């Protein structure tokens, strides 16, 4: 695919990204209605093989989805997980012993050569391999023993939006299947996603606050940390604002020194243990006079400089990331439009990144 995807003459910049963001509530319903049975079946087969360890393999946005799966697997199943270093096999030719290891490769396109090569090598090394993609006919799906189709539909905008939330929900349902759960905590998500995306004018007003930002810091803990990383990626690839993402714990170990009252800090505050663990970080940020933008519960937003209140009543902490990212996708879009750029076509990027 071309490195750019410009809007046709006379068409509004960002129309593709905007349209794909709007598809997310319907897509979540589709996964819950049509995709869930197939995901449960795959999970049951893999659970029967009793993997002892999980390695997660991905790049870019999919890497943030894989990090979410790591939290799910470690917290809900107590299963040790690691994020794979693909170059150990693709560049160095290492041959690890992966017997009884589950290797999950997450990729929107399923076409990146290093993902395909590392997954093929993992299967040859004895791993149980699972591809989670938006492309069931992809090379990655072909070399994997199992496949989950995230059912996001074609995604044309270069910044991934709907494939990210589709990956999160599919991975949640898979982990639920591994432990024999019914995934019922996700049933409320489509309705709430629709309500969040309807608040476009609210996000547009917030975006004007950050139009001229030269740098941003984004932080969270627990299940919210992958959201912080994905939000930073979206801001960088669409608006070109350097956005640094940190676990709240890591932020206190040095990077806090760069925080001042000029560069905005975005905090993703989950309603649960992750948010509780982030509280000391929020206190320190306020103490430094930071321009603090909070995405989370009403009380946390009211204590910040600005923010977006998420509807969290009755929403389990482990599925909140599927909602948390939505206002941050919209923020990246609106900041980019306000800066006179086209979020559909970030410079120097291609839809399929062919790393080796």
């Amino acid at each position: 695919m071309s490195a750019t995807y410009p809007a046709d003459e006379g068409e509004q910049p960002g129309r593709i990204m905007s349209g794909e963001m709007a598809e997310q509530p319907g897509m979540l319903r589709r996964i819950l209605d049509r995709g869930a049975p197939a995901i449960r079946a795959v999970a049951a087969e893999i659970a029967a093989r009793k993997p002892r360890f999980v390695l997660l393999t991905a790049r870019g946005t999919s890497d943030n989805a894989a990090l979410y799966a790591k939290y799910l697997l470690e917290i809900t199943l107590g299963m040790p997980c690691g994020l794979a270093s693909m170059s150990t096999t693709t560049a160095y030719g290492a041959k690890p012993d992966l017997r009884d290891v589950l290797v999950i490769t997450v990729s929107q396109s399923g076409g990146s050569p290093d993902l395909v090569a590392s997954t093929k090598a993992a299967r040859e090394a004895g791993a149980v391999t699972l591809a989670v993609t938006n492309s069931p006919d992809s090379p990655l799906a072909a070399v994997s023993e199992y496949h989950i189709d995230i059912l996001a539909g074609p995604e044309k905008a270069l910044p991934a939006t709907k494939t990210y939330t589709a990956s999160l929900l599919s991975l949640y349902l898979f982990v639920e299947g591994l432990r024999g759960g019914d995934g019922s905590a996700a049933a409320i998500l489509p309705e709430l996603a629709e309500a969040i995306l309807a608040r476009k004018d609210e996000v547009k007003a917030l975006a004007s606050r950050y139009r001229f930002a030269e740098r941003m810091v984004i932080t969270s803990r627990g299940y919210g940390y992958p959201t912080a990383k994905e939000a930073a990626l979206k801001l960088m690839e669409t608006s070109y604002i350097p956005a640094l993402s940190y676990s709240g714990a890591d932020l206190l170990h040095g990077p806090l020194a760069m925080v001042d009252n000029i560069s905005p800090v975005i905090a993703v505050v989950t309603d649960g243990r992750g948010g509780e663990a982030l509280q000391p970080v929020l206190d320190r940020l306020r103490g430094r006079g930071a321009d603090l933008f909070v995405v989370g519960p009403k009380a946390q937003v009211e204590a910040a400089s600005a923010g977006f209140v998420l509807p969290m009543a009755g929403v389990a902490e482990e599925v909140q990331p599927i909602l948390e990212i939505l206002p941050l996708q919209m923020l990246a879009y609106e900041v980019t439009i306000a800066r006179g750029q086209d979020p559909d076509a970030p410079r120097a990027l291609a839809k399929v990144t062919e790393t080796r």
Side-chain angles (χ1 to χ4, degrees):
M1 183 174 287
S2 168
T4 60
Y5 199 105
D8 295 335
E9 187 175 354
E11 293 182 330
Q12 180 182 356
R15 65 182 178 84
I16 304 173
M17 181 180 177
S18 177
E20 289 174 351
M21 287 191 295
E23 290 178 31
Q24 290 175 103
M27 177 207 69
L28 295 173
R29 289 189 182 96
R30 182 165 63 248
I31 295 169
L32 291 171
D33 293 342
R34 289 175 38 202
I39 294 172
R40 280 195 296 269
V42 168
E45 284 194 39
I46 291 176
R49 297 176 66 170
K50 298 185 179 348
R52 59 184 171 85
F53 188 87
V54 179
L55 277 177
L56 293 145
T57 307
R59 297 285 191 202
T61 284
S62 294
D63 199 33
N64 299 327
L67 180 59
Y68 166 73
K70 184 176 187 292
Y71 276 91
L72 279 174
L73 288 158
E74 291 181 343
I75 294 169
T76 65
L77 293 179
M79 184 175 286
C81 298
L83 299 176
S85 300
M86 282 173 277
S87 63
T88 60
T89 54
T90 61
Y92 291 92
K95 297 186 182 298
D97 180 359
L98 297 179
R99 287 172 294 179
D100 301 323
V101 174
L102 171 60
V103 172
I104 303 174
T105 306
V106 187
S107 170
Q108 174 209 327
S109 68
S112 185
D114 58 349
L115 295 172
V116 175
S118 63
T119 301
K120 183 174 183 290
R123 189 170 180 181
E124 291 170 350
V128 178
T129 53
L130 168 65
V132 179
T133 82
N134 196 38
S135 182
D137 299 322
S138 63
L140 178 60
V143 300
S144 300
E145 188 174 358
Y146 298 97
H147 177 257
I148 288 174
D149 184 351
I150 64 173
L151 299 177
E155 187 174 60
K156 295 180 179 179
L158 285 174
T161 54
K162 65 179 183 175
T163 52
Y164 179 68
T165 49
S167 296
L168 295 190
L169 179 54
S170 298
L171 288 163
Y172 166 73
L173 293 172
F174 171 70
V175 175
E176 278 288 282
L178 286 180
R179 72 186 191 97
D182 61 7
S184 58
I188 197 172
L189 296 177
E191 178 185 347
L192 293 179
E194 211 158 42
I196 290 169
L197 291 168
R199 295 160 62 186
K200 180 179 178 180
D201 290 344
E202 183 181 339
V203 177
K204 188 173 183 178
L206 288 166
S208 64
R209 181 184 182 98
Y210 305 112
R211 177 181 178 183
F212 299 107
E214 296 183 358
R215 181 185 68 200
M216 288 188 179
V217 173
I218 308 179
T219 188
S220 189
R221 291 203 70 180
Y223 284 116
Y225 181 42
T227 306
K229 290 176 68 65
E230 174 61 12
L233 177 60
K234 284 293 154 287
L235 282 162
M236 288 189 288
E237 68 184 357
T238 57
S239 69
Y240 316 141
I241 296 173
L244 308 174
S245 59
Y246 294 99
S247 156
D250 287 333
L251 185 63
L252 296 184
H253 282 263
L256 184 67
M258 71 177 173
V259 173
D260 52 30
N261 61 357
I262 298 174
S263 299
V265 178
I266 298 175
V268 180
V269 185
T270 59
D271 188 12
R273 294 187 183 184
E276 292 168 6
L278 189 64
Q279 189 59 54
V281 183
L282 300 176
D283 293 340
R284 290 285 298 276
L285 288 168
R286 282 190 287 265
R288 291 187 60 81
D291 180 358
L292 182 61
F293 179 108
V294 166
V295 174
K298 183 178 180 180
Q300 295 289 354
V301 172
E302 290 177 343
S305 307
F308 188 99
V309 177
L310 286 175
M312 291 304 193
V315 182
E317 184 177 1
E318 59 266 27
V319 297
Q320 289 177 27
I322 299 169
L323 302 177
E324 289 166 350
I325 191 59
L326 299 179
L328 294 167
Q329 290 175 347
M330 291 192 288
L331 182 69
Y333 170 87
E334 294 293 352
V335 168
T336 304
I337 294 293
R339 289 163 71 95
Q341 295 151 201
D342 185 357
D344 285 341
R347 63 193 181 204
L349 294 183
K351 193 64 178 171
V352 180
T353 304
E354 296 196 354
T355 48
R356 293 188 181 274

